[in-house]
Amino acid sequence: MLTPLQISSYLAFAIFVVVVVWKFVKYATMPIHLRWELYPVPHEPEHEHGGSFFEHQNIWQLERKHDKLNELKEMFEEMLFIKRMFQNKRDLWYVSWPFHAGVYLILVWLALLFIRAVLVIAGVHSLVPIADALIMIAGAIGVIAATLGCLGLLIKRVGSWELREYSAGVEIFNLLFVLAVLLTGLFAWIKFDPNFNIAKEYMLSLVSFGSQPMPELPKPILVHLILLELLFIYIPFTKIAHYVGKYYTFHTVLWEDAINKPGSEVERKVKRCLQFRVSWSAPHIAGRTWAEEAANPKLDVIERWKP
Amino acid sequence: MSKEVRIKDIGKPSKQLIKLRLEDLMKLPPPYDKPGEEPEMTEPKEEWREKYITELDGYIAIDVPFEKPKTKEEEQRLIQRFLEGLKKLLDKENNWTFLQPLLLSLEFCAKCQTCNDACPIYLSSGKKEIYRPTYRSEVLRRIWKRYLTPAGKVFGKFVSGDIELNWYTIARLAELAYRCTLCRRCTQVCPIGVDNGLIAHEIRKLFSQEMGVAPKALHELGTVQHLRVGSSTALTPEGFKDIIEFIEDDIKERTGKNIKIPVDEKGADILLIHNAGEYLSWPENPAAFAIIFEEAGISWTLSSELVGYDAVNYGVWYDDVQLARIARKHVEVARKLDVNRIVVGECGHAHKALCVVADRVLADEYNIPRESCMPILWDIVRKKKLNLDPEKNNFPVTLHDPCNMVRLMGVVEPQRKILREICPQFREMEPHGVYNYCCGGGSGFAIMTSMNFPEWRNKVATRMKFKQILTAFQDCIDPSIKKYVCAPCSNCKGAIRDMLDHYQATMKCGIYYGGLVELMVNAMVDIEEPFIEMF
Ligand code: SF4
Ligand code: SF4
């Protein structure tokens, strides 16, 4: 029999997944945009000097090669180490990187708790001690690094003029919220669950859909868990989910350099967009489709907005 | 630390948000490290204040009247119109061209300020708050959040931050969109890939496409004149043909070569299109192209048809509809001539506009390959199709990388390979290649010359480039040593010409400028007289 707490855990996770997927879909289904890449583009074979296929002649006949490995390298350096911030804003990186790395480790910790539960249910007991050891390492380093990083981020956000001035209240609130979850987690771990046994049992009860008993949760753990669930629900609606944006800015804008060749997929999409109607109000635009506007310019009136 | 200007101040009723002072600007290397070496800054004239927007920093980019509303109702109408435009920027049909990149940049900025120190304008100005790459983006973001998102409507300031939408905000934002050269250096360092340059570009579009408000040089005298008369320089097809004759005569006189420049030759491999500014200001550049292409046996032609002899596309800086119209015209001309490909001469923004950005407004028979001239030129040098003697270019040379051709298009190496081959004293600026700094003339600034805007350009926008040039030549800064800044782009040349003039750097430091092909012709063994004149 599932308890309300367990049901809320499923729900929080489900909402998280659904909204994140919806966000991905929202961006994935937007129309193709004009090319707006920015060099160096890491999949270009000449990425060392930031070169592109335009360094060659007869680009339509050119056999395009993509250095996928380098693209992955660049992606992981940015994801795992926040390379651009390391190179250009070191003072902030000193707190931002531990925070992000800590969060990654906490996600690994969650995944390990899940895997461990699956192992237990599947009866693969020989691997459980390895999972236990990894859970200990990921959980301990993760929560400490993330908490320190989050504290540092908060201090920077409030203490530095250029960060505070550009932040709305919600951005400070987000940090406070995450910090609350981390601090309650840290406290719960040190005081009540140093070996993550309660966490493991709770995960086991979730993975087994209640057929394994739910552990007794001391109050501080309960508070932490509820806060964590709320955070899971909250994240996808906020900018904390900037990983979605980061995927698209790099992959569909800055590194997106597909040529519009006749008969290509790009051309098919472009043709569809050219049939969209333009309803901008300036007098040089006549309210026709993009294709018509391009073919027959209307330039007889030059008139500006007047009060 | 408290700063004078806050984001919400954009809407503050005041005469002028900031005032630039010479002593605040970024310091320059010798000989400009001493006071009195550069001209003082001036005040805007009082009569300008009535007609134009001087409320930002006193400089005027938008040289068309932007009237102040006289009543609350008029102001409300302006606000409504602005918001209508903003909605259209976020609308699939009206702005499919940049919807995805724009929304990403509005939604995901982490406000980490990593991008700030990449911006030449921000640094050159002595870090003036309004020029911070995130300032204008944050203003637009706050307006969008507050007025157009459900969260902003419900939670107000808590999610959007402090912002008031009034005449001051809108007018200053319009000017502020023209304090960024769209060089996208800031985007290169952003950990999220947020594009502050793009946001400036989209603000310009909002004003142009919704309100018909854009600098005259870009719209009336730019794209409109281009489509109507044939060129944004007002050069007509007849005028163009006359100039070609003049160039042929000039080639004969300077080099002794009899060259017939092919115009409107059907079935050629290449349609070469130059920025028409070259014909009027630097005819030696198209002349050098003609000498090289003829000598190398390239199958090419120029076009004398309306728009076909001017590669510029100012639409790329402020208006997508105009961009599409000009690009379409370029390919129409190429189609009629039945060429295999269009090749763009030494013009950076024309490179990017025609080859990259406009790639996705063309379809079916109106889609033909468009390429850079650089790989062709390198091929000519590499295959030794010209007899070149590098000793003829034995003076200090540095290379300016046009942002549009390099960072935004990835044409980096061919031009420097040529220089390494033909200029024994070639030295790089730092940083260079895809990490270069803009010349300060980007996004239309080079051709915007109304009122006091050139002063802002010379003092702030080009300052970083000037510093780079001086630094590259520090070992030979004496004016008796003639040195050459190679800028393979018409707009960059325009900006550098004005910069050298403003700082009197030719007189004080012996710095000259010009294109790449001029250096190639200057190195040709069979041409006796120097093709490049530095005096
Ligand atoms: S644009 Fe990028 S680098 Fe600049 S503040 Fe936003 S997230 Fe940071
Ligand atoms: S695009 Fe260039 S000029 Fe504009 S804000 Fe970014 S770095 Fe500055």
Side-chain angles (χ1 to χ4, degrees):
Chain A
M1 180 64 184
L2 291 168
T3 64
L5 186 67
Q6 287 169 312
I7 294 172
S8 69
S9 296
Y10 291 128
L11 258 178
F13 185 67
I15 292 173
F16 176 83
V17 172
V18 168
V19 182
V20 168
V21 168
W22 170 77
K23 279 219 154 176
F24 269 104
V25 170
K26 173 179 134 186
Y27 278 100
T29 52
M30 279 182 189
I32 192 170
H33 53 79
L34 301 190
R35 257 174 64 195
W36 198 243
E37 69 255 31
L38 188 68
Y39 292 86
V41 170
H43 61 234
E44 278 293 329
E46 271 124 322
H47 58 81
E48 281 294 344
H49 66 257
S52 74
F53 56 90
F54 283 116
E55 291 191 329
H56 302 274
Q57 291 198 57
N58 298 313
I59 51 167
W60 279 14
Q61 278 88 53
L62 210 66
E63 203 194 315
R64 297 273 311 265
K65 293 195 188 80
H66 281 158
D67 187 345
K68 281 283 166 204
L69 204 67
N70 190 60
E71 181 168 308
L72 281 175
K73 180 174 157 270
E74 184 68 27
M75 219 173 91
F76 279 107
E77 277 176 358
E78 191 48 54
M79 267 169 57
L80 297 181
F81 301 107
I82 327 183
K83 183 171 117 181
R84 283 166 177 75
M85 192 184 282
F86 177 80
Q87 289 168 340
N88 299 288
K89 187 94 179 159
R90 194 67 60 86
D91 62 326
L92 193 60
W93 183 87
Y94 284 129
V95 290
S96 184
W97 183 69
F99 173 69
H100 283 89
V103 169
Y104 293 154
L105 282 173
I106 292 170
L107 293 176
V108 169
W109 175 78
L110 274 171
L112 285 166
L113 287 178
F114 176 81
I115 292 168
R116 183 189 178 280
V118 173
L119 290 174
V120 170
I121 293 165
V124 193
H125 294 287
S126 56
L127 292 178
V128 172
I130 300 174
D132 284 340
L134 292 175
I135 285 169
M136 196 61 219
I137 296 168
I141 303 176
V143 71
I144 292 170
T147 311
L148 289 176
C150 189
L151 250 169
L153 277 178
L154 190 63
I155 292 169
K156 281 255 169 209
R157 180 72 45 201
V158 180
S160 139
W161 190 88
E162 59 175 21
L163 297 191
R164 190 180 62 240
E165 173 61 16
Y166 284 72
S167 311
V170 67
E171 276 142 341
I172 313 260
F173 171 80
N174 289 351
L175 278 173
L176 283 169
F177 192 173
V178 175
L179 188 64
V181 174
L182 286 166
L183 283 174
T184 52
L186 192 70
F187 179 68
W189 167 51
I190 295 171
K191 224 36 202 156
F192 297 95
D193 195 16
N195 296 319
F196 297 121
N197 285 335
I198 299 176
K200 289 172 199 166
E201 280 173 45
Y202 186 67
M203 182 60 96
L204 187 60
S205 79
L206 287 179
V207 176
S208 65
F209 293 102
S211 65
Q212 300 280 342
M214 194 182 108
E216 253 329 285
L217 298 184
K219 281 249 164 50
I221 295 195
L222 190 66
V223 170
H224 168 66
L225 190 59
I226 291 171
L227 280 175
L228 181 67
E229 286 175 0
L230 289 173
L231 183 64
F232 256 78
I233 297 170
Y234 180 67
I235 283 176
F237 294 100
T238 70
K239 218 174 43 203
I240 309 176
H242 53 259
Y243 46 86
V244 179
K246 192 159 174 162
Y247 174 82
Y248 283 103
T249 53
F250 284 100
H251 291 274
T252 67
V253 184
L254 304 181
W255 298 348
E256 204 271 276
D257 58 354
I259 310 181
N260 174 14
K261 278 200 218 171
S264 65
E265 179 62 14
V266 174
E267 194 190 51
R268 203 180 52 75
K269 289 182 182 167
V270 166
K271 279 160 87 169
R272 216 173 37 218
C273 291
L274 289 173
Q275 293 315 312
F276 287 155
R277 196 160 285 281
V278 194
S279 67
W280 288 97
S281 309
H284 64 281
I285 300 171
R288 300 162 295 178
T289 65
W290 281 85
E292 289 160 349
E293 289 290 342
N296 300 301
K298 173 188 171 218
L299 298 166
D300 38 352
V301 229
I302 294 195
E303 218 175 69
R304 286 174 288 277
W305 178 83
K306 288 209 181 59
Chain B
M1 184 178 60
S2 86
K3 299 252 174 151
E4 332 129 41
V5 180
R6 304 194 53 194
I7 294 164
K8 65 175 181 189
D9 291 344
I10 188 113
K12 192 167 78 178
S14 63
K15 193 173 168 192
Q16 203 174 303
L17 207 50
I18 65 156
K19 185 172 157 27
L20 289 174
R21 295 178 316 167
L22 204 51
E23 56 270 33
D24 294 343
L25 304 184
M26 182 184 71
K27 300 283 169 279
L28 291 170
Y32 295 89
D33 51 343
K34 294 177 285 296
E37 285 297 322
E38 60 173 302
E40 288 297 325
M41 310 194 66
T42 59
E43 286 282 330
K45 291 187 186 152
E46 276 311 310
E47 66 256 34
W48 295 345
R49 292 197 186 274
E50 282 153 35
K51 249 174 134 183
Y52 308 106
I53 307 162
T54 50
E55 280 79 358
L56 182 72
D57 51 9
Y59 291 96
I60 298 154
I62 299 182
D63 52 353
V64 294
F66 195 85
E67 287 172 49
K68 239 179 234 165
K70 288 171 208 70
T71 60
K72 270 275 153 226
E73 292 71 50
E74 283 185 0
E75 188 172 33
Q76 270 314 314
R77 275 208 297 279
L78 171 69
I79 292 171
Q80 277 321 315
R81 187 76 174 265
F82 177 85
L83 287 175
E84 280 304 310
L86 187 50
K87 274 187 213 153
K88 287 177 194 170
L89 276 186
L90 300 166
D91 168 67
K92 186 172 112 176
E93 301 226 350
N94 277 304
N95 200 28
W96 63 273
T97 46
F98 284 99
L99 176 66
Q100 191 188 46
L102 173 63
L103 254 187
L104 287 166
S105 289
L106 285 178
E107 204 171 346
F108 293 110
C109 172
K111 327 272 177 79
C112 65
Q113 310 293 24
T114 304
C115 51
N116 300 174
D117 286 355
C119 175
I121 306 247
Y122 179 56
L123 296 184
S124 296
S125 72
K127 302 202 173 187
K128 285 278 176 275
E129 193 58 35
I130 60 164
Y131 303 142
R132 198 192 277 275
T134 43
Y135 188 89
R136 85 177 64 68
S137 306
E138 187 57 21
V139 169
L140 189 74
R141 188 175 291 119
R142 287 186 178 190
I143 297 171
W144 164 63
K145 279 234 161 115
R146 170 70 66 87
Y147 295 92
L148 298 181
T149 67
K153 284 179 186 156
V154 177
F155 297 106
K157 201 166 135 178
F158 179 68
V159 292
S160 70
D162 224 354
I163 195 85
E164 194 195 339
L165 195 49
N166 55 23
W167 180 85
Y168 285 94
T169 308
I170 294 171
R172 284 183 180 134
L173 193 60
E175 271 296 328
L176 199 50
Y178 290 92
R179 296 296 183 279
C180 159
T181 62
L182 314 183
C183 77
R184 297 174 75 209
R185 232 182 155 261
C186 52
T187 314
Q188 240 175 357
V189 303
C190 172
I192 318 266
V194 166
D195 197 332
N196 294 304
L198 174 85
I199 291 180
H201 176 256
E202 298 298 293
I203 299 172
R204 292 177 179 198
K205 276 167 49 186
L206 191 167
F207 281 98
S208 176
Q209 297 176 181
E210 186 63 14
M211 300 178 173
V213 172
K216 265 199 193 131
L218 303 196
H219 191 64
E220 278 179 55
L221 303 176
T223 56
V224 173
Q225 178 161 245
H226 194 179
L227 288 162
R228 272 187 184 163
V229 179
S231 162
S232 57
T233 60
L235 184 66
T236 59
E238 294 69 39
F240 167 76
K241 285 183 201 148
D242 289 347
I243 289 185
I244 293 299
E245 273 177 34
F246 159 78
I247 290 177
E248 285 169 344
D249 293 345
D250 194 52
I251 293 174
K252 171 88 182 140
E253 200 174 298
R254 289 169 74 168
T255 70
K257 288 180 187 290
N258 274 315
I259 286 181
K260 176 90 195 94
I261 296 177
V263 176
D264 300 329
E265 281 198 5
K266 280 200 164 193
D269 178 29
I270 288 170
L271 166 65
L272 178 67
I273 319 188
H274 294 295
N275 178 322
E278 300 286 350
Y279 296 114
L280 300 171
S281 300
W282 304 283
E284 63 279 9
N285 182 280
F289 263 101
I291 296 170
I292 294 167
F293 275 21
E294 285 299 302
E295 200 83 9
I298 305 267
S299 158
W300 69 296
T301 185
L302 299 175
S303 159
S304 72
E305 200 184 316
L306 216 67
V307 184
Y309 53 88
D310 193 353
V312 306
N313 191 338
Y314 297 169
V316 76
W317 298 322
Y318 81 102
D319 192 305
D320 288 346
V321 177
Q322 295 293 76
L323 165 89
R325 289 169 171 173
I326 291 172
R328 159 84 179 223
K329 198 75 197 143
H330 281 142
V331 292
E332 270 175 24
V333 169
R335 256 195 84 221
K336 277 196 214 153
L337 286 173
D338 197 23
V339 294
N340 295 325
R341 48 187 170 142
I342 301 178
V343 168
V344 184
E346 293 189 9
C347 177
H349 92 276
H351 263 75
K352 187 188 69 172
L354 195 54
C355 304
V356 183
V357 185
D359 193 37
R360 293 186 184 163
V361 293
L362 304 170
D364 297 327
E365 69 269 34
Y366 294 105
N367 192 5
I368 73 164
R370 288 141 283 120
E371 305 181 4
S372 165
C373 61
M374 293 300 157
I376 302 177
L377 294 172
W378 167 234
D379 213 47
I380 291 170
V381 173
R382 185 173 62 94
K383 292 187 177 146
K384 306 221 178 306
K385 290 188 182 163
L386 305 177
N387 191 4
L388 301 174
D389 175 10
E391 277 310 307
K392 296 181 85 174
N393 284 335
N394 198 2
F395 42 83
V397 174
T398 191
L399 173 67
H400 162 65
D401 286 299
C403 301
N404 285 306
M405 193 185 286
V406 178
R407 178 166 36 255
L408 310 182
M409 190 172 164
V411 180
V412 188
E413 273 296 300
Q415 58 271 40
R416 20 180 64 76
K417 281 183 182 154
I418 296 171
L419 291 179
R420 281 185 217 121
E421 198 83 12
I422 66 169
C423 298
Q425 295 191 50
F426 170 58
R427 74 270 315 276
E428 292 279 12
M429 295 180 199
E430 292 304 331
H432 58 264
V434 286
Y435 303 107
N436 77 318
Y437 282 113
C438 174
C439 63
S443 81
F445 291 180
I447 49 148
M448 286 160 55
T449 52
S450 288
M451 291 171 271
N452 57 2
F453 193 72
E455 177 175 297
W456 184 84
R457 174 182 4 101
N458 284 319
K459 287 292 186 216
V460 182
T462 64
R463 198 173 188 81
M464 187 61 88
K465 183 57 39 177
F466 188 47
K467 181 180 174 186
Q468 277 192 293
I469 293 172
L470 289 174
T471 310
F473 289 138
Q474 273 302 306
D475 63 327
C476 53
I477 202 73
D478 191 280
S480 64
I481 307 170
K482 310 275 185 250
K483 12 196 184 295
Y484 189 89
V485 181
C486 171
C489 166
S490 306
N491 277 298
C492 301
K493 277 195 296 204
I496 292 171
R497 173 187 57 197
D498 283 10
M499 165 213 295
L500 296 180
D501 189 42
H502 179 84
Y503 294 96
Q504 298 190 334
T506 305
M507 185 186 80
K508 290 183 181 179
C509 307
I511 300 173
Y512 296 78
Y513 76 97
L516 175 69
V517 282
E518 291 90 318
L519 281 167
M520 290 171 68
V521 174
N522 199 52
M524 282 170 71
V525 172
D526 63 344
I527 295 179
E528 276 164 27
E529 292 296 311
F531 192 75
I532 292 175
E533 292 163 341
M534 295 196 273
F535 50 78

